[in-house]
Amino acid sequence: MNDQDGRPSFLRLAETDNIAVAARKIEEGAPLIGGARAASRIPFGHKVALAPVARGAAVRKFGQIIGFAKVPIAAGDWVHEHNVEMGDFERDYRFCEEARPINVLPPEEQATFEGYRRADGRVGTRNYIGILTSVNCSASVARFIAEAAMRNGLLDDFPEIDGVVSFTHGTGCGLASSGEGFDLLKRTQWGYAAHPNLGGVLMVGLGCEVFQIARLKELYGLEESDTFRSMTIQESGGTRRTIEAGLARVKEMLPAVGAHRRETVPASEITLALQCGGSDGYSGITANPALGVAADILVKNGGTAVLGETPEIYGAEHLLTRRAINREVGEKLIERIHWWEEYTARNKGEMNNNPSPGNKAGGLTTILEKSLGAAAKGGSTPLNAVYEYAEQVRERGFVFMDTPGYDPVSVTGQVAGGCNVVCFTTGRGSAYGCKPSPSIKLATNSAMYERMEEDMDINCGDILDGVSLEEKGRQIFEEVLAVASGKRSKSEKLGYGDNEFVPWQIGAVM
């Protein structure tokens, strides 16, 4: 339904939907699709009933169930938390039914970008020196080393080095030396230590922690070299001496790290993290499906797109299992969903604790609704693999990684898995940024984009004004190539990324 200026006032997203989404603030009494009128003011991005919905009946958006009426809903009523609730329903997984083969472009026809080819063959989009920590006890020293290196002008003669950055965290001790929590930290630390966006790595520990550097080195075959060094505060003689020794080792790395040069490489070397945060009622209509188009283009060019945030595909997982390349991949996704149901239950929570208050203020009512929009980031190509948190992503194409919905923790896992660029959609205005992998921010609506233009790289709100998803997806893909080639994203210009390394911590803290 369009206003006098030709812009839509409401959007009905599927013929079977019994709600529509307000494309702008709608006043009481405004006409609706089908002849009803708005019974009250409807905020931008929120939902209005197009037909009566009986108590207990399904509320549908995107042609899918997003909840159930907890009271009778009349045509024209505002549809939100006050009259909609969660409820379980049968998912029809239809494993592999929609997994259609795609024709990946031959190498000579693929898009290209300018990246750093590493010795192991992988390609980086940035060239940082990273100071990793084995335990929180060494976090301050690692930060002191990185700050001193940047402050003292060590990089002045090495323009190819993007910076020295510390990756500190709050765990590494007070946990069991084996089991789920330890494995998550181990994979995360290895993933960063070997990440193609880090040209050099210094790992700093205290010395007596549970997470021992020597054990990590032995497990993964890490050896001291001109681009990988390790040390502990206890062996180095305390804080001051460790900082001095750390700076000396960073200096030793500079020639090798600074010698790397960008070269033309195919887009197949991009592993793209797909993220959303601060979502709103338009995330699933504008930015997320546009990012899905960009992901499809990347996959067609031989690249890899990594969807995460398992709690935010809950209720939409049946759409992904239909795209699974085989039943084993689909079953693994469902196994991770069941793990999350058990995980939240034993912690006295529930899956519908997500969405957040900000999501709800933006028009999202249940996790089912949020998930249907979030899953759109994954485009339409076959689901080739399902990975656990921070596992190395080895399959190309569209894949899934099991991560929490909490953005810093989720992206940390994806980057540990090898993602060298991040695309992050937001409707409320997330201020996230990432190191060592640059983050591109996509606004779901024009009003927020205009308020936070200094933080947003691309406005997807103009899709509501007639820009096609295909055109916007192509724009996003071209921006990915540009940023991968060295263009600084808005969050990089603002200096984000020093505090966003947040490994997933689960299990007992002892």
Side-chain angles (χ1 to χ4, degrees):
M1 182 176 233
N2 295 340
D3 285 344
Q4 291 181 347
D5 61 5
R7 297 177 60 197
S9 53
F10 289 97
L11 295 176
R12 186 181 190 180
L13 303 176
E15 286 296 323
T16 56
D17 288 357
N18 50 15
I19 61 92
V21 181
R24 60 184 69 189
K25 292 179 182 178
I26 303 300
E27 299 301 326
E28 181 180 351
L32 305 176
I33 302 167
R37 291 186 176 272
S40 63
R41 180 177 170 273
I42 310 296
F44 169 80
H46 285 242
K47 299 173 291 296
V48 63
L50 298 177
V53 185
R55 180 178 179 177
V59 177
R60 294 182 179 273
K61 180 182 176 183
F62 305 109
Q64 303 288 330
I65 295 172
I66 65 167
F68 299 87
K70 60 183 177 182
V71 296
I73 300 174
D77 281 355
W78 177 33
V79 177
H80 202 30
E81 288 183 282
H82 60 286
N83 54 14
V84 177
E85 62 187 353
M86 276 283 289
D88 200 12
F89 61 97
E90 190 70 25
R91 271 76 148 180
D92 186 357
Y93 294 133
R94 298 184 188 177
F95 293 104
C96 314
E97 187 177 283
E98 298 176 8
R100 304 285 186 266
I102 62 167
N103 294 318
V104 175
L105 292 171
E108 64 273 13
E109 295 181 19
Q110 291 176 10
T112 61
F113 71 102
E114 302 300 308
Y116 295 100
R117 178 76 69 178
R118 304 301 185 187
D120 63 1
R122 295 194 297 169
V123 174
T125 63
R126 294 295 182 269
N127 192 32
Y128 283 102
I129 293 176
I131 316 293
L132 299 179
T133 57
S134 62
V135 66
N136 181 254
C137 305
S138 58
S140 291
V141 166
R143 180 168 53 83
F144 295 154
I145 295 170
E147 289 175 348
M150 295 300 291
R151 183 176 61 249
N152 294 345
L154 293 185
L155 305 185
D156 289 351
D157 295 328
F158 300 94
E160 288 293 324
I161 300 178
D162 289 299
V164 179
V165 58
S166 60
F167 297 100
T168 64
H169 58 93
T171 182
C173 207
L175 77 166
S177 60
S178 62
E180 200 168 34
F182 189 88
D183 288 344
L184 291 180
L185 181 59
K186 177 181 66 180
R187 291 199 299 266
T188 303
Q189 293 282 33
W190 159 243
Y192 272 69
H195 199 280
N197 284 8
L198 294 180
V201 171
L202 170 64
M203 198 161 193
V204 182
L206 177 61
C208 57
E209 59 270 19
V210 170
F211 191 86
Q212 288 284 306
I213 295 176
R215 183 178 172 186
L216 181 74
K217 289 165 65 177
E218 180 181 1
L219 182 64
Y220 290 106
L222 289 168
E223 296 183 356
E224 301 282 317
S225 70
D226 57 356
T227 56
F228 178 82
R229 304 298 298 272
S230 64
M231 59 196 300
T232 68
I233 297 169
Q234 291 169 353
E235 291 178 344
S236 299
T239 298
R240 182 183 59 79
R241 290 178 179 173
T242 306
I243 295 170
E244 290 175 350
L247 279 171
R249 294 179 187 189
V250 169
K251 288 180 183 178
E252 292 169 359
M253 291 183 190
L254 294 176
V257 179
H260 286 282
R261 296 291 184 271
R262 291 187 182 272
E263 60 183 83
T264 302
V265 293
S268 58
E269 298 295 346
I270 291 175
T271 302
L272 180 67
L274 309 174
Q275 274 290 321
C276 57
S279 300
D280 69 354
Y282 274 91
S283 293
I285 300 172
T286 59
N288 286 355
L291 179 53
V293 171
D296 285 351
I297 297 171
L298 176 62
V299 169
K300 189 172 182 179
N301 279 270
T304 305
V306 185
L307 184 64
E309 302 178 291
T310 313
E312 297 183 12
I313 63 150
Y314 185 74
E317 70 274 14
H318 60 290
L319 303 180
L320 296 177
T321 57
R322 298 174 189 193
R323 292 163 53 191
I325 197 70
N326 56 47
R327 190 178 182 93
E328 181 183 2
V329 169
E331 293 280 10
K332 187 171 182 180
L333 180 65
I334 301 308
E335 184 273 326
R336 299 317 300 166
I337 291 288
H338 292 330
W339 184 93
W340 273 94
E341 292 173 329
E342 296 167 2
Y343 178 59
T344 53
R346 70 174 178 259
N347 286 284
K348 305 294 189 294
E350 58 174 291
M351 297 300 283
N352 203 42
N353 289 145
N354 186 338
S356 70
N359 297 152
K360 293 176 181 179
L364 296 174
T365 301
T366 67
I367 187 56
L368 303 178
E369 180 182 11
K370 184 177 182 181
S371 293
L372 289 164
K377 300 192 302 293
S380 63
T381 61
L383 176 64
N384 289 339
V386 173
Y387 294 96
E388 294 192 29
Y389 185 84
E391 276 192 312
Q392 289 297 295
V393 174
R394 304 196 184 280
E395 293 286 336
R396 293 186 185 268
F398 172 56
V399 303
F400 184 85
M401 178 178 284
D402 179 29
T403 76
Y406 183 40
D407 307 321
V409 179
S410 181
V411 180
T412 296
Q414 290 173 308
V415 172
C419 291
N420 50 15
V421 182
V422 180
C423 270
F424 192 118
T425 72
T426 181
R428 303 294 291 171
S430 175
Y432 180 83
C434 185
K435 290 177 183 176
S437 298
S439 177
I440 300 167
K441 300 291 264 310
L442 312 175
T444 74
N445 66 84
S446 298
M448 185 275 290
Y449 175 82
E450 290 166 3
R451 287 197 308 273
M452 297 183 63
E453 189 171 352
E454 292 180 351
D455 292 80
M456 299 294 123
D457 295 279
I458 293 177
N459 178 29
C460 298
D462 54 9
I463 291 171
L464 297 178
D465 299 325
V467 175
S468 70
L469 288 173
E470 290 70 23
E471 181 181 347
K472 188 60 61 172
R474 173 58 64 176
Q475 181 186 355
I476 294 169
F477 177 68
E478 294 296 337
E479 186 72 3
V480 169
L481 295 178
V483 170
S485 297
K487 177 183 177 181
R488 296 173 69 204
S489 68
K490 294 286 186 70
S491 62
E492 287 183 293
K493 291 178 181 179
L494 289 167
Y496 276 97
D498 291 316
N499 300 297
E500 284 76 8
F501 176 71
V502 188
W504 188 8
Q505 186 174 353
I506 62 175
V509 178
M510 296 178 284

